[in-house]
Amino acid sequence: MTRADTEALIHRYLEAFNAGDVDTMLALLDEDVAHDVNEGGREIGREGFRVFMATMHRHYDETLADIVVFASEDGMRAAAEFTVRGRYRETAARLPEASNQAYSIPAGQFFSLEDGRITRVTTYYNLAAWIAAVSKA
């Protein structure tokens, strides 16, 4: 893939996230995708990613804004920086009580690609900043 192809694929992935279109997101992932959860472990596989997204949608209503995508010259790796704007709808384990609090935090994702599919998604954001945002709401 070219750099432009990779950037376009990552934009499609993030646009699908914003649209709540998990099927399109999954179609862009390799069957054995490695998913590195922020401050968590690594999950392997498209089906595990589907379960993760269902859990996320139950607890949070999020959209990504201010998206900037970068890709390596060979198109094998990419990164995206964005602002996560959301509402905390249902209390998640080991996190503060949810009461539909609004939040806006910076975040980023890193991607590896092979044969036109995403083989790795690694997400980073400041969990302490998110907790502070929903705790004062």
Side-chain angles (χ1 to χ4, degrees), residues 15-59:
E15 289 165 6
F17 178 91
N18 278 345
D21 184 356
V22 175
D23 289 337
T24 295
M25 292 175 72
L26 292 170
L28 298 172
L29 300 177
D30 184 78
E31 182 66 35
D32 296 319
V33 64
H35 177 219
D36 299 315
V37 180
N38 188 68
E39 297 194 30
R42 175 171 271 196
E43 301 175 348
I44 302 294
R46 195 183 292 156
E47 196 51 41
F49 193 87
R50 178 189 307 274
V51 170
F52 173 84
M53 289 305 298
T55 300
M56 290 293 295
H57 283 254
R58 188 173 74 243
H59 295 285

Side-chain angles (χ1 to χ4, degrees), residues 71-132:
S72 62
E73 192 169 320
D74 63 6
M76 300 291 287
R77 295 189 342 177
E81 180 180 14
F82 43 81
T83 302
V84 180
R85 296 188 179 136
R87 291 210 166 265
Y88 184 32
R89 298 189 302 197
E90 182 180 313
T91 303
R94 298 179 304 282
L95 293 175
E97 197 70 26
S99 60
N100 206 37
Q101 304 97 308
Y103 54 89
S104 179
I105 59 168
Q109 288 185 317
F110 298 93
F111 304 88
S112 296
L113 296 95
E114 191 174 311
D115 298 325
R117 298 221 187 242
I118 298 168
T119 59
R120 177 183 59 94
V121 179
T122 300
T123 303
Y124 288 107
Y125 60 90
N126 185 326
L127 180 59
W130 179 86
I131 289 171

